[in-house]
Amino acid sequence: RVQCLALSPQEDLLATASYDGAVRVWETKASRRKDPEPLKSAPGFAVFSRNAERMVIVAGQRIYGWLSDGEKLGDTEFPHTVHSPVLSPSGRLVVLMEVNTAEGRLLSMDGMEVVQGFERMPSLVGVALSGDDAVIATIDMDHRLVVREIATGRELYCREVPAPTAIAGLNLNGSLVLLSAPGKPVATAIDVQTGHDVEVPRDLSFLAGGSFSPDGSRLFTGSGETLQIRDSRTGALLQHFTHPKRLTGKAAWSRDGRRVAIQTFPETIVLYDTASGALVGELEGALGTILSNLVFTPDGKSLVALVRSPDGKQACWQEWTVAD
């Protein structure tokens, strides 16, 4: 009986963990299976890193780390039950929170050892890690936002934030942190070096987990039938898109940042050139409701998503070819 599962961001791998401790990693297109070492207790959470190279599974007081090919990186046990693992984009770092104490701990996935200086992060309620594994941002129960350098533990930035505020993400080098609050029509991007705030309309791709462009310099913003691309440091408007069909929260940057794909309502995908703002394509023919985030393949020639079959009884993978 499957207790938890995780789908890689590229949607080519599916990891399942069963009540009996069995762990399996499936290649979604080929239906091939890998069987890592069984867990010692029933699992509770499973998460892939953004690059799909690593995954963690939490089972009670123990956390397990694997490479996606099934090779075990290690495991470690905590004094209390842990939950909600947060992996860095590279998958080399993971933050765990203890249920009873609300303390957070930062671990290196190589050997599953606690990173010095981050053995105890009290009253943790939110966390994000930069893409280069150099910076960590946290929010605690006292509503303090703290940004620190991981190698030295040095505090880079600290301020009180209104409650409830969530960390939407850090950019690649941790120089910019994006905050969001439920019910607020805007998100706040904070420059860590200057403390300068930039308020931007609530970001469509934040809902899809990809707010920043690959290099961290730009942000998706928008709502309804419009989408804007803004400079992530200044908030300056770089491009403004409009489309006659309502946009949804499913959006994706291509790896080179040259194109953005946005799902419209109903099931159509539109492609825009991010430099010129020109509409460069519309992809139709979705088999059913698009269930997952859109993902560009690494070469930028295809888009992939999980869709519901027309009869609504199963889900399948669909791939659209993107013209050059």
Side-chain angles (χ1 to χ4, degrees), residues 111-147:
M112 304 306 291
E113 296 182 351
V114 177
V115 176
Q116 186 176 358
F118 295 89
E119 299 89 346
R120 182 175 177 268
M121 294 181 281
S123 306
L124 198 63
V125 296
V127 64
L129 295 155
S130 64
D132 60 4
D133 296 331
V135 176
I136 182 171
T138 60
I139 293 179
D140 62 23
M141 291 181 183
D142 294 325
H143 317 302
R144 286 193 324 132
L145 167 68
V146 181
V147 182

Side-chain angles (χ1 to χ4, degrees), residues 47-89:
V47 180
F48 272 103
S49 61
R50 191 182 299 172
N51 60 13
E53 293 180 359
R54 301 180 178 214
M55 67 173 183
V56 295
I57 295 179
V58 173
Q61 296 171 223
R62 188 170 289 273
I63 177 173
Y64 300 81
W66 280 280
L67 296 176
S68 56
D69 63 4
E71 180 184 345
K72 186 176 179 181
L73 294 170
D75 64 272
T76 190
E77 188 169 359
F78 291 86
H80 304 280
T81 300
V82 291
H83 67 107
S84 304
V86 177
L87 272 167
S88 66

Side-chain angles (χ1 to χ4, degrees), residues 221 227-230 236-241 273-278:
T221 68
L227 173 75
Q228 300 171 352
I229 295 180
R230 292 178 177 265
L237 180 64
L238 302 176
Q239 289 294 343
H240 180 87
F241 311 92
D273 184 287
T274 58
S276 68

Side-chain angles (χ1 to χ4, degrees), residues 27 31 55 105 111-112 142 170 203 247 278 280:
E27 295 180 25
S31 296
M55 67 173 183
R105 301 171 194 265
M112 304 306 291
D142 294 325
L170 280 166
D203 163 13
L247 304 175
V280 294

Side-chain angles (χ1 to χ4, degrees), residues 169-179 187-192 194-200 203 210-221 228-239 253:
L170 280 166
N171 65 344
L172 181 64
N173 65 3
S175 62
L176 196 80
V177 59
L178 185 68
L179 303 178
T188 301
I190 300 174
D191 188 308
V192 172
T194 66
H196 178 64
D197 288 9
V198 179
E199 286 195 342
V200 293
D203 163 13
S211 301
F212 293 105
S213 61
D215 64 2
S217 65
R218 292 169 289 172
L219 276 172
F220 280 129
T221 68
Q228 300 171 352
I229 295 180
R230 292 178 177 265
D231 184 286
S232 59
R233 286 191 176 276
T234 66
L237 180 64
L238 302 176
Q239 289 294 343
W253 290 88

